[in-house]
């Protein structure tokens, strides 16, 4: 009797597992619309959330640049103060608040989800009509909130955007470390030496060319002391990262500092590009008073890059796990809670970019992340990236020395 019961239980378990696997295969092999309609494919859900985030970005930009012409009804709202409180910088913050509220609700409702085929997994991957309606309702409600609450949110958004930059920074460094480990496997290390050296050499050449071009474009005169300092200090940081990485006690190779060099050169370039137009040290200042096709393309690329960065960071929850674990059969493919948390902080981040990190700063049309505050945020982010990378290099050496000291004592 017990054997029959145990056999029936095992058959039920195997049957449920096979049903789950069959449904999973059906979702993966189905059409895009079928996967969206059935709503149990977490991989497809990522792109829908990304499109919602992109729509919020575009709405915030439209409210900032064309709000008075496109949304004249807002001027009649009580909390809009004739449009001043719902358009421009405050309009961006209101759209950001609605987007943040949506992803924060999703974070609270999906955090801790560990397995597929349960109610929270279904909520994350499906119920799209309800969730799109929720996003629209929260965004509309943000325009009914009093102005003083929006001002408080604007101050909090500075902190939230900083959290997003920190999460993105750790994700980038984790990716660079992973790429270095993939290029230097133990069994084929000799065969990969050439590829590693070519990749590292290309990275350093691009870094040097980038620094030279920044000197030419953004430091044409000796009086451009601040830009000269930014560029020169970036070169010093590349040398410092390379020296520490090649130290015999660290021995982290030459590839990771080269890739990190590319990253901080790019951040330095973005920081200098964020300086306000009209500065003598930026040669694009002569044509900055008019909106041309290059300005529009730069804005679109920057907007899409921000969305892609948020999307790619959101699915990289493993970079914050101290102990990496192999996924089991029905485990979720990525952390749902972390995914929505990154998008929630990303909502604060895009607001700061569109208003130049200053709620009282007037930004011209088709511009993004412009102002001295934006410049210094980028520069501090560059320096922080180097500090985190150096700590990841020296921390194992320090911990090993402390462990040896304790054992000898």
């Amino acid at each position: 009797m017990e054997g029959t019961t145990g056999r029936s239980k095992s058959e039920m378990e195997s049957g449920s597992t096979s049903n789950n696997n069959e449904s999973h295969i059906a979702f993966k092999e189905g059409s895009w619309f079928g996967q969206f309609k059935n709503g149990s494919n977490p991989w497809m859900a990522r792109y829908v959330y990304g499109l919602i985030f992109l729509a919020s970005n575009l709405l915030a930009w439209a409210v900032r640049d064309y709000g008075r012409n496109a949304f004249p009804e807002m001027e009649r709202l009580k909390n809009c103060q004739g449009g001043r409180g719902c358009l421009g910088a405050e309009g961006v913050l209101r759209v950001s608040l609605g987007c943040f509220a949506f992803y924060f609700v999703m974070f609270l409702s999906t955090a801790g989800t560990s397995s597929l085929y349960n109610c929270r997994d279904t909520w994350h991957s499906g119920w799209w009509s309800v969730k799109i309606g929720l996003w629209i309702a929260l965004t509309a409600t943000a325009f009914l909130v009093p102005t003083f609450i929006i001002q408080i949110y604007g101050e909090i958004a500075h902190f939230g955007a900083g959290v997003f930059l920190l999460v993105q920074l750790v994700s980038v460094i984790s990716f660079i470390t992973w790429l270095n480990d993939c290029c230097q496997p133990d069994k084929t290390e000799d065969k990969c030496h050439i590829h590693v050296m070519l990749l590292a050499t290309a990275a350093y050449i691009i870094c040097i060319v980038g620094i030279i071009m920044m000197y030419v474009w953004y430091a044409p005169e000796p009086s451009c002391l601040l830009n000269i300092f930014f560029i020169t200090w970036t070169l010093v940081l590349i040398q410092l990262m390379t020296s520490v990485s090649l130290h015999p006690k660290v021995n982290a190779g030459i590839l990771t500092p080269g890739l990190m060099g590319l990253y901080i050169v790019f951040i330095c370039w973005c920081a200098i590009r964020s300086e306000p137009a009209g500065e003598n040290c930026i040669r694009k200042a002569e044509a900055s008073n008019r909106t041309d096709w290059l300005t529009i393309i730069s804005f679109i690329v920057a907007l899409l890059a921000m969305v892609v960065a948020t999307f790619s960071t959101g699915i990289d929850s493993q970079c914050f796990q101290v102990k990496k674990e192999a996924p089991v059969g029905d485990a979720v493919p990525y952390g749902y809670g972390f995914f929505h948390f990154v998008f929630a902080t990303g909502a604060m981040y895009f607001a700061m970019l569109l208003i130049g990190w200053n709620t009282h700063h007037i930004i011209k049309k088709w511009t993004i992340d412009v102002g001295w505050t934006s410049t210094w945020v980028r520069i501090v982010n560059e320096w922080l990236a180097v500090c985190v990378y150096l700590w990841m290099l020296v921390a194992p050496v320090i911990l090993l020395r402390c462990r040896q000291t304790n054992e000898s004592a």
Side-chain angles (χ1 to χ4, degrees):
M1 190 71 176
E2 293 180 357
T4 305
T5 304
R7 195 181 309 113
S8 62
K9 287 183 178 180
S10 62
E11 290 175 355
M12 290 176 62
E13 291 177 356
S14 61
S16 61
T17 303
S18 62
N19 290 334
N20 289 340
N21 292 333
E22 290 176 0
S23 61
H24 184 63
I25 294 173
F27 287 133
K28 291 188 69 175
E29 293 181 351
S31 63
W32 193 96
F33 178 76
Q35 294 179 11
F36 177 81
K37 181 180 178 181
N38 292 325
S40 290
N41 190 331
W43 290 110
M44 187 62 62
R46 302 177 307 160
Y47 299 100
V48 182
Y49 287 117
L51 290 176
I52 293 175
F53 187 76
L54 176 61
S56 295
N57 281 257
L58 295 175
L59 178 61
W61 158 73
V63 169
R64 188 197 71 174
D65 287 358
Y66 301 97
R68 295 192 180 276
N69 296 328
F71 310 102
E73 298 82 7
M74 291 184 182
E75 299 181 2
R76 304 174 186 175
L77 295 178
K78 180 180 178 180
N79 295 317
C80 286
Q81 301 174 359
R84 181 169 52 88
C86 294
L87 304 175
E90 285 201 20
V92 172
L93 291 175
R94 290 179 185 273
V95 176
S96 171
L97 176 60
C99 183
F100 166 79
F102 170 75
Y103 284 106
F104 192 70
V105 169
M106 294 302 305
F107 163 73
L108 294 178
S109 59
T110 59
T113 305
S114 58
S115 60
L116 299 170
Y117 316 115
N118 57 36
C119 58
R120 288 196 293 176
D121 170 63
T122 304
W123 167 244
H124 169 80
S125 305
W127 295 84
W128 291 112
S129 58
V130 176
K131 287 187 291 191
I132 292 176
L134 177 64
W135 166 64
I136 295 174
L138 291 173
T139 303
T141 304
F143 285 91
L144 304 177
V145 174
T147 300
F148 77 92
I149 295 181
I150 298 300
Q151 293 174 351
I152 295 174
Y153 172 75
E155 298 301 325
I156 299 175
H158 286 83
F159 173 76
V163 173
F164 174 81
L165 287 175
L166 181 61
V167 172
Q168 187 184 50
L169 185 153
V170 174
S171 177
V172 170
I173 295 178
S174 176
F175 171 76
I176 290 175
T177 305
W178 169 83
L179 184 62
N180 181 68
D181 294 338
C182 289
C183 292
Q184 293 181 339
D186 296 334
K187 296 181 179 180
T188 59
E189 187 174 357
D190 294 336
K191 297 181 180 179
C192 288
H193 266 311
I194 297 178
H195 299 86
V196 171
M197 288 301 299
L198 289 176
L199 187 59
T201 302
Y204 279 105
I205 290 176
I206 295 175
C207 288
I208 294 173
V209 172
I211 288 176
I212 293 175
M213 297 307 295
M214 283 193 292
Y215 274 122
V216 173
W217 288 340
Y218 305 125
E221 301 176 1
S223 59
C224 304
L225 295 179
L226 187 60
N227 287 353
I228 293 175
F229 167 71
F230 289 158
I231 301 170
T232 305
W233 188 245
T234 300
L235 181 61
V236 172
L237 292 177
I238 295 175
Q239 178 62 42
L240 177 63
M241 290 188 298
T242 304
S243 301
V244 173
S245 180
L246 294 179
H247 193 276
K249 293 185 178 180
V250 176
N251 195 23
I254 196 174
L255 179 59
T256 53
L259 297 177
M260 277 298 299
L262 286 177
Y263 182 56
I264 67 173
V265 167
F266 173 74
I267 296 179
C268 181
W269 175 77
C270 292
I272 298 178
R273 289 275 299 179
S274 296
E275 294 179 1
E279 302 296 327
N280 295 329
C281 297
I282 302 180
R283 292 189 173 183
K284 64 182 178 69
E286 292 81 9
S288 61
N289 292 326
R290 58 186 178 88
T291 302
D292 54 7
W293 63 270
L294 184 60
T295 303
I296 296 175
I297 292 177
S298 299
F299 174 83
I300 295 174
V301 170
L303 193 67
L304 293 177
M306 178 177 56
V307 175
V308 171
T310 307
F311 179 85
S312 59
T313 304
I315 61 176
D316 192 20
S317 58
Q318 290 188 351
C319 66
F320 288 89
Q321 294 180 358
V322 178
K323 184 178 180 181
K324 302 292 189 299
E325 297 180 356
V328 295
D330 286 345
V332 294
Y334 54 90
Y336 294 166
F338 179 81
F339 178 83
H340 293 296
F341 173 78
V342 170
F343 271 85
T345 56
M348 296 181 172
Y349 179 64
F350 82 68
M352 292 297 103
L353 293 187
L354 288 174
I355 67 175
W357 296 81
N358 189 347
T359 56
H360 305 289
H361 180 60
I362 300 176
I363 294 196
K364 296 173 55 178
K365 292 182 179 180
W366 295 102
T367 57
I368 186 170
D369 201 21
V370 175
W372 282 113
T373 306
S374 300
T375 297
W376 281 105
V377 167
R378 296 280 189 181
I379 291 297
V380 172
N381 187 36
E382 174 193 346
W383 298 345
L384 183 61
V386 175
C387 292
V388 172
Y389 173 73
L390 292 177
W391 171 250
M392 292 179 66
L393 291 180
V394 302
V397 179
I398 296 176
L399 294 176
L400 179 61
R401 178 173 297 182
C402 292
R403 191 180 300 113
Q404 292 175 349
T405 303
N406 294 332
E407 291 177 356
S408 61

